[in-house]
Amino acid sequence: MTAFLEYVVQNKSQILSLLIAHIQLTCIAVGLAILIGVPLGLLISYVKKLNKAVLGIASIIQAIPSMALLGFAIPFLGIGVLPSVIVVILYSLLPIVKNTFTGIQGIDPELLESAKGIGLTKTQILFKIQIPLALPVIMAGIRISAVTAVGLMTMAAFIGGGGLGYLVFSGISTVNNSQILAGAIPACLLALLVDFLLGMVEKFVTPVSLRNKNAASKKQRARQKAILIVSGALIVIFFVVSGIRSTMNSPQGDTITVGGKDYTEQRLLCELMSQAIEKETDLNVSRKSNLGGTQVVFNAVKSGEVDVYMEYIGTAYADTLGYEPISDVDKAYQTVKDEFK
């Protein structure tokens, strides 16, 4: 425990910056998942022929291992924030779509008939009756997706997307338990906080007629409402300040991106190359170390998201180009040189 606390104190600025990046990525992914998932759930509630296909596809995506889905996305989307956010959106869709569909379908048909009887249009029925009654169920799905997204977003570090996963992956590769905990504990606390806040939202959107006897009193609800308002305001301020800071801190002039794989030697090589470029040229250097494996970095070079990284002749010859290993170093070097060119 002492070693962990010492690590946190020595690296508090890095942990804080990675936590901020993690919150940003999670908020973006969950927000977009809601914008896609809720309308999709409403659509399959009205168009019955689509529900099996949509829910089936969402279930299949949920069943694919996250690293495998990320691997499929890299050749098309490259590395960094974009593929990380899209993969988390895909994983977040199933609970939102399914709960939206279930909430709408669970409304008493006689209630809808009564609404039609008093002259309400389909749009009025949707927004004044169906959505308000289904909202607690929809929020339960959003809550599940948001908590899951906090954990899933740790994999963003595997492809240079940032976030707390950087500490986890780095700690695993260097067998540094303090570093692993420095990434895992804030992620767990963030997931608990998200669950707590969305749990309050879920209670707030529950219609009065559906609340149980143990529902919060007016004072408690007023307190909860204040907490939610303050939390929402802090999130907005957080995004505004982060946007301003990123704009102010963006480097002026040409930038070169130096990559590195996910182990110690490659992180050192990435840093050495970066420092050499900074010393010998006027270029700004963007470091993308700790990327996951040869194919991740190589595909990043092909897509233009990484400009340079240190590769080994044997790895390039056998792994990247797919040749059988040979002992002739000169032949291997010349083959790699020619085919890479």
Side-chain angles (χ1 to χ4, degrees), residues 232-292:
L234 288 174
I235 291 172
V236 172
I237 293 169
F238 166 75
F239 271 94
V240 171
V241 172
S242 298
I244 293 171
R245 285 182 62 185
S246 62
T247 303
M248 293 176 63
N249 295 332
S250 58
Q252 302 297 318
D254 294 327
T255 300
I256 186 169
T257 302
V258 179
K261 302 179 193 180
D262 57 345
Y263 49 92
T264 306
E265 180 181 309
Q266 279 278 314
R267 286 201 292 276
L268 290 172
L269 289 171
C270 176
E271 185 60 33
L272 288 169
M273 291 169 68
S274 300
Q275 290 189 24
I277 293 169
E278 288 172 335
K279 181 180 179 182
E280 301 296 333
T281 72
D282 295 328
L283 294 170
N284 297 301
V285 178
S286 173
R287 292 162 172 81
K288 289 283 185 182
S289 64
N290 206 44
L291 296 175

Coordinates of all heavy atoms in Angstrom, one line a residue, residues 232-292:
G232 N -24.2 18.0 -13.6 CA -24.3 18.4 -15.0 C -23.6 19.6 -15.4 O -22.9 19.7 -16.4
A233 N -23.6 20.6 -14.5 CA -22.9 21.9 -14.7 C -21.4 21.7 -14.7 O -20.7 22.2 -15.6 CB -23.3 22.9 -13.6
L234 N -20.9 20.8 -13.8 CA -19.5 20.5 -13.8 C -19.0 19.8 -15.0 O -17.9 20.1 -15.5 CB -19.2 19.6 -12.5 CG -19.3 20.3 -11.2 CD1 -19.1 19.3 -10.0 CD2 -18.2 21.4 -11.1
I235 N -19.9 18.9 -15.6 CA -19.5 18.2 -16.8 C -19.4 19.2 -18.0 O -18.4 19.1 -18.8 CB -20.5 17.1 -17.1 CG1 -20.4 16.0 -16.1 CG2 -20.3 16.5 -18.5 CD1 -21.5 14.9 -16.2
V236 N -20.4 20.1 -18.0 CA -20.3 21.1 -19.1 C -19.1 22.0 -19.0 O -18.4 22.2 -20.0 CB -21.6 22.0 -19.1 CG1 -21.5 23.1 -20.1 CG2 -22.8 21.1 -19.4
I237 N -18.8 22.5 -17.8 CA -17.6 23.3 -17.5 C -16.4 22.6 -17.8 O -15.4 23.1 -18.5 CB -17.6 23.8 -16.1 CG1 -18.8 24.8 -15.8 CG2 -16.3 24.5 -15.7 CD1 -19.0 25.1 -14.3
F238 N -16.4 21.3 -17.5 CA -15.2 20.4 -17.7 C -14.9 20.3 -19.2 O -13.7 20.4 -19.6 CB -15.5 19.0 -17.1 CG -14.6 17.9 -17.5 CD1 -13.3 17.9 -17.0 CD2 -15.0 17.0 -18.4 CE1 -12.5 16.8 -17.3 CE2 -14.2 16.0 -18.8 CZ -12.9 15.9 -18.2
F239 N -15.9 20.1 -20.0 CA -15.7 20.0 -21.4 C -15.3 21.3 -22.0 O -14.4 21.3 -22.9 CB -17.0 19.5 -22.1 CG -17.1 18.0 -22.2 CD1 -17.8 17.3 -21.2 CD2 -16.5 17.3 -23.2 CE1 -17.8 15.9 -21.3 CE2 -16.5 15.9 -23.3 CZ -17.2 15.2 -22.3
V240 N -15.9 22.4 -21.6 CA -15.5 23.7 -22.1 C -14.0 24.0 -21.8 O -13.3 24.4 -22.7 CB -16.4 24.8 -21.5 CG1 -15.9 26.2 -21.9 CG2 -17.8 24.6 -22.1
V241 N -13.6 23.8 -20.5 CA -12.3 24.1 -20.1 C -11.3 23.2 -20.8 O -10.2 23.7 -21.3 CB -12.1 24.0 -18.6 CG1 -10.7 24.1 -18.1 CG2 -13.0 25.0 -17.8
S242 N -11.6 21.9 -21.0 CA -10.8 21.0 -21.7 C -10.6 21.4 -23.1 O -9.5 21.3 -23.7 CB -11.3 19.6 -21.6 OG -11.4 19.1 -20.3
G243 N -11.7 21.9 -23.8 CA -11.6 22.3 -25.1 C -10.7 23.5 -25.3 O -9.9 23.6 -26.2
I244 N -10.8 24.5 -24.3 CA -10.0 25.7 -24.4 C -8.5 25.3 -24.2 O -7.6 25.8 -24.9 CB -10.5 26.7 -23.3 CG1 -11.9 27.2 -23.7 CG2 -9.5 27.9 -23.2 CD1 -12.5 28.0 -22.6
R245 N -8.3 24.5 -23.2 CA -6.9 24.1 -22.9 C -6.2 23.3 -24.1 O -5.1 23.6 -24.4 CB -6.8 23.2 -21.7 CG -7.1 23.9 -20.3 CD -7.0 23.0 -19.2 NE -5.6 22.4 -19.1 CZ -5.3 21.4 -18.2 NH1 -6.2 21.0 -17.3 NH2 -4.1 21.0 -18.1
S246 N -7.0 22.4 -24.7 CA -6.4 21.7 -25.8 C -6.1 22.6 -27.0 O -5.1 22.4 -27.7 CB -7.4 20.6 -26.3 OG -8.6 21.1 -26.7
T247 N -7.0 23.7 -27.2 CA -6.7 24.6 -28.2 C -5.5 25.5 -27.9 O -4.7 25.7 -28.8 CB -7.9 25.6 -28.4 OG1 -9.1 24.8 -28.7 CG2 -7.7 26.6 -29.5
M248 N -5.4 25.9 -26.7 CA -4.2 26.7 -26.3 C -2.9 25.9 -26.3 O -1.8 26.5 -26.6 CB -4.4 27.3 -24.9 CG -5.6 28.3 -24.8 SD -5.9 28.9 -23.1 CE -4.3 29.7 -22.7
N249 N -3.0 24.6 -26.0 CA -1.8 23.8 -25.9 C -1.4 23.1 -27.2 O -0.4 22.4 -27.3 CB -1.9 22.7 -24.8 CG -2.0 23.4 -23.4 OD1 -1.5 24.4 -23.2 ND2 -2.7 22.7 -22.5
S250 N -2.2 23.3 -28.2 CA -1.9 22.6 -29.5 C -0.6 23.2 -30.1 O -0.4 24.4 -30.1 CB -3.1 22.8 -30.5 OG -3.3 24.2 -30.7
P251 N 0.3 22.3 -30.5 CA 1.6 22.8 -31.0 C 1.5 23.6 -32.3 O 0.6 23.3 -33.1 CB 2.4 21.5 -31.2 CG 1.3 20.5 -31.4 CD 0.2 20.9 -30.6
Q252 N 2.4 24.6 -32.4 CA 2.4 25.4 -33.6 C 3.5 24.8 -34.5 O 4.6 24.4 -34.1 CB 2.8 26.9 -33.3 CG 1.8 27.5 -32.3 CD 0.4 27.7 -32.9 OE1 0.3 28.0 -34.1 NE2 -0.6 27.4 -32.1
G253 N 3.3 24.8 -35.8 CA 4.2 24.3 -36.8 C 4.0 22.8 -37.1 O 3.0 22.2 -36.7
D254 N 4.9 22.2 -37.8 CA 4.8 20.8 -38.3 C 5.0 19.9 -37.1 O 5.8 20.1 -36.2 CB 5.8 20.5 -39.4 CG 5.5 21.3 -40.6 OD1 4.3 21.6 -40.9 OD2 6.5 21.7 -41.3
T255 N 4.2 18.8 -37.1 CA 4.3 17.7 -36.1 C 4.6 16.4 -36.7 O 4.0 16.0 -37.7 CB 3.0 17.7 -35.3 OG1 2.7 19.0 -34.7 CG2 3.1 16.7 -34.2
I256 N 5.5 15.6 -36.1 CA 5.7 14.2 -36.5 C 5.3 13.3 -35.3 O 5.5 13.6 -34.2 CB 7.2 14.0 -36.8 CG1 7.4 12.6 -37.4 CG2 8.1 14.3 -35.6 CD1 8.8 12.4 -38.0
T257 N 4.7 12.2 -35.7 CA 4.2 11.3 -34.7 C 5.1 10.1 -34.6 O 5.3 9.4 -35.6 CB 2.7 10.8 -35.0 OG1 1.9 12.0 -35.1 CG2 2.2 9.9 -33.9
V258 N 5.6 9.8 -33.4 CA 6.5 8.7 -33.2 C 5.8 7.6 -32.4 O 5.2 7.9 -31.4 CB 7.8 9.1 -32.4 CG1 8.7 8.0 -32.2 CG2 8.5 10.2 -33.2
G259 N 5.8 6.4 -32.9 CA 5.1 5.3 -32.3 C 6.0 4.3 -31.6 O 7.2 4.4 -31.8
G260 N 5.4 3.4 -30.8 CA 6.1 2.4 -30.1 C 5.2 1.3 -29.7 O 4.0 1.6 -29.4
K261 N 5.7 0.1 -29.6 CA 4.9 -1.0 -29.1 C 4.7 -1.1 -27.6 O 5.2 -0.2 -26.9 CB 5.5 -2.3 -29.6 CG 5.7 -2.4 -31.2 CD 6.3 -3.7 -31.6 CE 6.8 -3.6 -33.0 NZ 7.4 -4.8 -33.5
D262 N 4.0 -2.1 -27.1 CA 3.6 -2.1 -25.8 C 4.5 -2.9 -24.8 O 4.1 -3.8 -24.1 CB 2.2 -2.7 -25.7 CG 2.1 -4.1 -26.2 OD1 3.0 -4.5 -27.0 OD2 1.1 -4.8 -26.0
Y263 N 5.8 -2.6 -24.9 CA 6.7 -3.1 -23.9 C 7.9 -2.2 -23.7 O 8.0 -1.2 -24.4 CB 7.2 -4.5 -24.3 CG 7.8 -4.7 -25.7 CD1 9.1 -4.5 -25.9 CD2 6.9 -5.1 -26.7 CE1 9.6 -4.7 -27.2 CE2 7.4 -5.2 -28.0 CZ 8.8 -5.1 -28.3 OH 9.2 -5.2 -29.5
T264 N 8.6 -2.4 -22.6 CA 9.6 -1.4 -22.1 C 10.6 -0.9 -23.2 O 10.8 0.3 -23.3 CB 10.3 -2.0 -20.9 OG1 9.4 -2.4 -19.9 CG2 11.2 -0.9 -20.2
E265 N 11.2 -1.9 -23.9 CA 12.3 -1.5 -24.8 C 11.7 -0.5 -25.9 O 12.3 0.5 -26.3 CB 12.8 -2.7 -25.5 CG 13.9 -2.4 -26.5 CD 14.4 -3.7 -27.2 OE1 14.8 -4.6 -26.5 OE2 14.5 -3.7 -28.5
Q266 N 10.5 -0.8 -26.4 CA 9.9 0.0 -27.4 C 9.5 1.4 -26.8 O 9.6 2.4 -27.6 CB 8.6 -0.7 -28.0 CG 9.0 -1.7 -29.0 CD 9.2 -1.1 -30.4 OE1 8.4 -0.2 -30.8 NE2 10.2 -1.5 -31.1
R267 N 9.1 1.5 -25.6 CA 8.8 2.8 -25.0 C 10.1 3.6 -24.9 O 10.0 4.8 -25.1 CB 8.1 2.6 -23.6 CG 6.7 2.1 -23.7 CD 5.9 2.5 -22.5 NE 6.3 1.7 -21.4 CZ 5.9 0.4 -21.1 NH1 5.0 -0.1 -21.9 NH2 6.4 -0.2 -20.0
L268 N 11.2 3.0 -24.5 CA 12.4 3.7 -24.5 C 12.9 4.1 -25.9 O 13.3 5.3 -26.0 CB 13.5 2.7 -23.9 CG 13.4 2.4 -22.4 CD1 14.4 1.4 -22.0 CD2 13.6 3.7 -21.5
L269 N 12.7 3.3 -26.9 CA 13.1 3.6 -28.2 C 12.3 4.8 -28.7 O 12.8 5.7 -29.4 CB 13.0 2.4 -29.2 CG 14.0 1.3 -29.0 CD1 13.6 0.1 -29.8 CD2 15.4 1.8 -29.4
C270 N 11.0 4.7 -28.4 CA 10.1 5.8 -28.8 C 10.5 7.1 -28.2 O 10.6 8.2 -28.9 CB 8.6 5.5 -28.4 SG 7.4 6.8 -28.7
E271 N 10.9 7.1 -26.9 CA 11.3 8.3 -26.3 C 12.7 8.8 -26.8 O 12.9 10.0 -27.0 CB 11.4 8.1 -24.8 CG 11.7 9.3 -23.9 CD 10.7 10.4 -24.1 OE1 9.5 10.1 -24.3 OE2 11.1 11.6 -24.0
L272 N 13.6 7.9 -27.0 CA 14.9 8.3 -27.6 C 14.8 8.9 -28.9 O 15.4 9.9 -29.3 CB 15.8 7.1 -27.6 CG 16.3 6.5 -26.3 CD1 17.0 5.2 -26.5 CD2 17.3 7.5 -25.7
M273 N 13.9 8.3 -29.8 CA 13.7 8.9 -31.1 C 13.1 10.2 -31.1 O 13.4 11.2 -31.8 CB 12.9 7.9 -32.0 CG 13.5 6.6 -32.3 SD 12.4 5.4 -33.0 CE 12.0 6.2 -34.6
S274 N 12.1 10.4 -30.2 CA 11.4 11.6 -30.0 C 12.3 12.7 -29.6 O 12.3 13.9 -30.1 CB 10.3 11.5 -29.0 OG 9.3 10.5 -29.4
Q275 N 13.2 12.4 -28.6 CA 14.1 13.4 -28.1 C 15.2 13.8 -29.1 O 15.6 15.0 -29.2 CB 14.8 12.9 -26.8 CG 13.9 12.9 -25.6 CD 14.6 12.6 -24.3 OE1 15.8 12.8 -24.2 NE2 13.9 12.0 -23.3
A276 N 15.6 12.8 -29.9 CA 16.6 13.1 -31.0 C 16.0 14.0 -32.0 O 16.6 15.0 -32.5 CB 17.0 11.8 -31.6
I277 N 14.7 13.8 -32.4 CA 14.0 14.6 -33.4 C 13.9 16.0 -32.9 O 14.1 17.0 -33.6 CB 12.7 14.0 -33.8 CG1 12.9 12.7 -34.6 CG2 11.9 15.0 -34.7 CD1 11.6 11.9 -34.8
E278 N 13.5 16.1 -31.6 CA 13.3 17.5 -31.0 C 14.6 18.2 -30.9 O 14.6 19.5 -31.1 CB 12.7 17.3 -29.6 CG 11.2 16.9 -29.6 CD 10.7 16.5 -28.2 OE1 11.5 16.2 -27.4 OE2 9.5 16.6 -28.0
K279 N 15.7 17.5 -30.7 CA 17.0 18.2 -30.5 C 17.5 18.6 -31.9 O 18.1 19.7 -32.0 CB 18.0 17.2 -29.9 CG 19.3 17.8 -29.7 CD 20.3 16.9 -29.0 CE 21.7 17.5 -28.8 NZ 22.6 16.5 -28.2
E280 N 17.4 17.8 -32.9 CA 18.0 18.0 -34.2 C 17.2 18.8 -35.2 O 17.6 19.2 -36.3 CB 18.4 16.7 -34.8 CG 19.4 15.9 -34.0 CD 20.7 16.6 -33.8 OE1 21.1 17.4 -34.7 OE2 21.4 16.3 -32.7
T281 N 15.8 18.9 -34.9 CA 15.0 19.5 -35.9 C 14.1 20.6 -35.2 O 14.1 20.7 -34.0 CB 14.1 18.5 -36.6 OG1 13.1 18.0 -35.7 CG2 14.9 17.3 -37.2
D282 N 13.3 21.3 -36.0 CA 12.3 22.2 -35.4 C 10.9 21.6 -35.4 O 9.9 22.3 -35.1 CB 12.2 23.5 -36.3 CG 13.5 24.2 -36.3 OD1 14.2 24.2 -35.2 OD2 13.9 24.8 -37.3
L283 N 10.8 20.3 -35.6 CA 9.5 19.6 -35.6 C 9.0 19.4 -34.2 O 9.7 19.2 -33.2 CB 9.6 18.2 -36.2 CG 9.9 18.2 -37.7 CD1 10.3 16.8 -38.1 CD2 8.8 18.7 -38.5
N284 N 7.6 19.5 -34.0 CA 7.0 19.1 -32.8 C 6.8 17.6 -32.8 O 6.5 17.0 -33.9 CB 5.6 19.8 -32.7 CG 5.8 21.3 -32.6 OD1 6.4 21.8 -31.7 ND2 5.2 22.0 -33.5
V285 N 6.9 16.9 -31.7 CA 6.8 15.5 -31.7 C 5.6 15.1 -30.9 O 5.4 15.5 -29.7 CB 8.1 14.8 -31.1 CG1 7.9 13.3 -31.0 CG2 9.3 15.2 -31.9
S286 N 4.8 14.2 -31.5 CA 3.6 13.6 -30.8 C 4.0 12.2 -30.5 O 4.3 11.4 -31.4 CB 2.4 13.7 -31.6 OG 1.3 13.0 -31.0
R287 N 4.0 11.8 -29.2 CA 4.4 10.4 -28.8 C 3.2 9.5 -28.7 O 2.3 9.8 -28.1 CB 5.2 10.5 -27.5 CG 6.5 11.2 -27.5 CD 7.0 11.6 -26.1 NE 8.3 12.1 -26.1 CZ 8.7 13.3 -26.4 NH1 7.8 14.2 -26.8 NH2 10.0 13.7 -26.3
K288 N 3.3 8.4 -29.4 CA 2.3 7.4 -29.3 C 2.9 6.0 -28.9 O 2.9 5.0 -29.7 CB 1.6 7.2 -30.7 CG 0.7 8.4 -31.2 CD -0.6 8.4 -30.4 CE -1.5 9.5 -31.0 NZ -2.8 9.5 -30.3
S289 N 3.5 6.0 -27.7 CA 4.1 4.8 -27.2 C 3.0 3.9 -26.6 O 1.9 4.3 -26.4 CB 5.2 5.1 -26.2 OG 4.6 5.7 -25.1
N290 N 3.4 2.6 -26.3 CA 2.6 1.7 -25.7 C 1.4 1.2 -26.6 O 0.3 0.9 -26.1 CB 2.1 2.2 -24.3 CG 1.7 1.1 -23.4 OD1 2.5 0.1 -23.3 ND2 0.6 1.2 -22.7
L291 N 1.6 1.3 -27.9 CA 0.5 0.8 -28.8 C 0.6 -0.7 -28.8 O 1.7 -1.3 -28.6 CB 0.7 1.3 -30.2 CG 0.6 2.8 -30.3 CD1 0.9 3.3 -31.8 CD2 -0.8 3.3 -30.0
G292 N -0.5 -1.4 -29.0 CA -0.5 -2.8 -28.8 C -0.1 -3.7 -29.9 O -0.8 -4.0 -30.8

